[in-house]
Amino acid sequence: MHFDLVDMRLFVAVAEARSITHGAERSALALASASARIKGMEAALGVPLLQRQRRGVRLTAAGESLLDHARIVLHQMAAMQGELSAYARGLKARIHMLANTSGASEHLPKALASFLAKHPTISVDVEERESVEIATALASGAADIGLAVDAMLPEGLDRFPFCDDRLVLIVRPDDEIAQRRQTNFRDVAARDFVGLTEVSALQSHIATHAAQLGVRLRVRARLRSFDAICQMVEAGVGVAIIPEAAARRYSRSIKIKTIRMTDPWTSRRLAICTRGRQSLPRPVQQLADHLKMFAKV
C-alpha cells in the first residue's frame, strides 16, 4: 500500500467538496488524473472510499476513517515543514493553540508569557473558538492544543483540568437588581445587554442559551474587550455577562456590581486538551507540561 501526499491532499479536497470534479480543481489536477488516483487508492485498500452519486460523491465508512487519518498526516507534514523552515529563520517551532473567550483573555496570558520567556525559540498563535469547535479541530489535526470547557470535550482527547471559569452578570451599582446575591438568566434575558462582537465564542455561547429560552438577546452595543463592556455597563447602556475573573479585575476601577448566576452553564471547568500525547511534537508537549504547572484546580 502506497499513498503519496498528492493522494492525501486530493482525497481531503474531494471529501470536503463532496465532488471529484471540484476536488480535482482544488488540487490543480485534471479530472481523469484525479479519478484514477482515487480508484488506485480504493484498489490498494481493497474497499470503496466513495459512493458515486448523480450529484457528487458520498464518503463510505472507510472513506470517513481515511479522511480523519489523512487530515492528521497532512497537519503533521505541515508542522514538520513549518518547523524545519523556521530553523532557517531562527525559530524552532510555532504552536497553534485554540481557546474559548475566557481562556484566551483571562486565564492563558500569564502562563503563556512565562512559557515564551522560558522558550525564546518557540512561538504560539492563540485563536479563539467555541469549545465544541476546539474539540473537532484537535481531533482532525487542525490545531495542536486547546483550552476548552471540559464538559464539552469528547472521549479520545487527552486533557487535564486547568481552572474554574464562572460567568457572572454585571450591572450598575444603582440597578434595581444590584442588591441581589444571585440571579438566573431567565430573569434578565429580556434586559438590554452589552456584549462582545458576534464572532466571539462567548457571545455565541450566551446567545445559544438565550435561544433555548425562546429569547433573542437585545444587544445594544458590541465591543471587543471586557474593559469596554464594563465601561458601557457603568454608563447604563445595559447589563452584561462576562467571566468573573474579568469582573473582579475591572471592578477596581469601574463602578459595576457583580451578581452570581445560578444557571449550570455559567459555572464551567476549563481543561487543557490535546490529541494523544505520543503523536504531539515536542514543543507542544513542553507547552502542555508548562500549563500543567499553572493549573488552578
Side-chain angles (χ1 to χ4, degrees):
M1 186 186 304
H2 174 72
F3 299 149
D4 59 26
L5 291 179
V6 176
D7 290 333
M8 292 289 188
R9 293 191 180 100
L10 170 64
F11 186 76
V12 170
V14 169
E16 292 177 347
R18 292 296 191 265
S19 165
I20 296 178
T21 300
H22 293 153
E25 291 173 354
R26 292 184 185 183
S27 304
L29 292 172
L31 177 58
S33 175
S35 182
R37 281 180 175 272
I38 294 293
K39 289 179 180 178
M41 294 172 72
E42 291 178 319
L45 288 169
V47 293
L49 300 172
L50 304 172
Q51 291 179 351
R52 278 74 171 174
Q53 301 174 327
R54 286 204 312 171
R55 296 183 178 179
V57 296
R58 181 178 179 183
L59 294 181
T60 64
E64 293 283 1
S65 179
L66 177 59
L67 177 61
D68 290 339
H69 288 290
R71 282 173 168 162
I72 291 173
V73 169
L74 292 175
H75 173 73
Q76 290 178 332
M77 287 298 298
M80 180 191 73
Q81 292 170 347
E83 191 167 323
L84 291 176
S85 65
Y87 273 109
R89 304 194 308 271
L91 295 174
K92 180 181 178 182
R94 181 171 294 276
I95 298 171
H96 184 196
M97 183 171 194
L98 303 181
N100 70 348
T101 307
S102 298
S105 64
E106 300 300 319
H107 304 295
L108 274 179
K110 186 176 293 186
L112 280 183
S114 173
F115 175 78
L116 293 171
K118 185 177 179 181
H119 301 276
T121 59
I122 300 178
S123 298
V124 180
D125 294 329
V126 179
E127 181 182 350
E128 184 184 320
R129 294 277 192 92
E130 290 192 65
S131 293
V132 172
E133 294 178 353
I134 292 172
T136 301
L138 287 174
S140 68
D144 300 309
I145 187 170
L147 177 59
V149 176
D150 193 14
M152 304 298 289
L153 297 175
E155 295 297 326
L157 289 180
D158 285 356
R159 91 277 305 268
F160 61 84
F162 186 67
C163 66
D164 290 327
D165 179 51
R166 181 183 291 275
L167 300 176
V168 297
L169 182 75
I170 58 170
V171 302
R172 278 171 55 100
D174 59 357
D175 191 286
E176 61 182 5
I177 65 170
Q179 300 311 310
R180 295 186 191 179
R181 295 187 61 184
Q182 60 184 29
T183 189
N184 61 56
F185 190 38
R186 185 180 293 276
D187 287 347
V188 298
R191 296 278 301 266
D192 287 340
F193 272 79
V194 180
L196 293 165
T197 59
E198 289 183 322
V199 297
S200 159
L202 175 58
Q203 201 59 41
S204 296
H205 181 62
I206 296 169
T208 296
H209 286 282
Q212 291 174 358
L213 296 177
V215 175
R216 189 173 187 272
L217 282 186
R218 206 161 60 225
V219 182
R220 296 201 58 211
R222 297 186 184 275
L223 304 119
R224 292 186 174 275
S225 71
F226 294 129
D227 182 10
I229 287 175
C230 291
Q231 292 183 54
M232 284 285 186
V233 171
E234 180 186 37
V237 175
V239 301
I241 295 174
I242 66 174
E244 186 175 36
R248 189 182 302 118
R249 183 170 70 257
Y250 291 119
S251 64
R252 298 170 190 155
S253 57
I254 300 174
K255 295 178 181 178
I256 54 173
K257 178 68 187 301
T258 298
I259 303 172
R260 287 207 164 189
M261 301 186 70
T262 58
D263 305 83
W265 59 268
T266 63
S267 184
R268 298 105 53 92
R269 172 163 289 185
L270 302 186
I272 298 295
C273 47
T274 64
R275 299 186 304 280
R277 185 177 177 88
Q278 298 301 319
S279 66
L280 296 181
R282 178 168 170 73
V284 181
Q285 293 182 18
Q286 290 175 311
L287 176 57
D289 291 340
H290 183 85
L291 293 174
K292 188 172 290 186
M293 293 190 299
F294 279 79
K296 300 175 183 177
V297 290

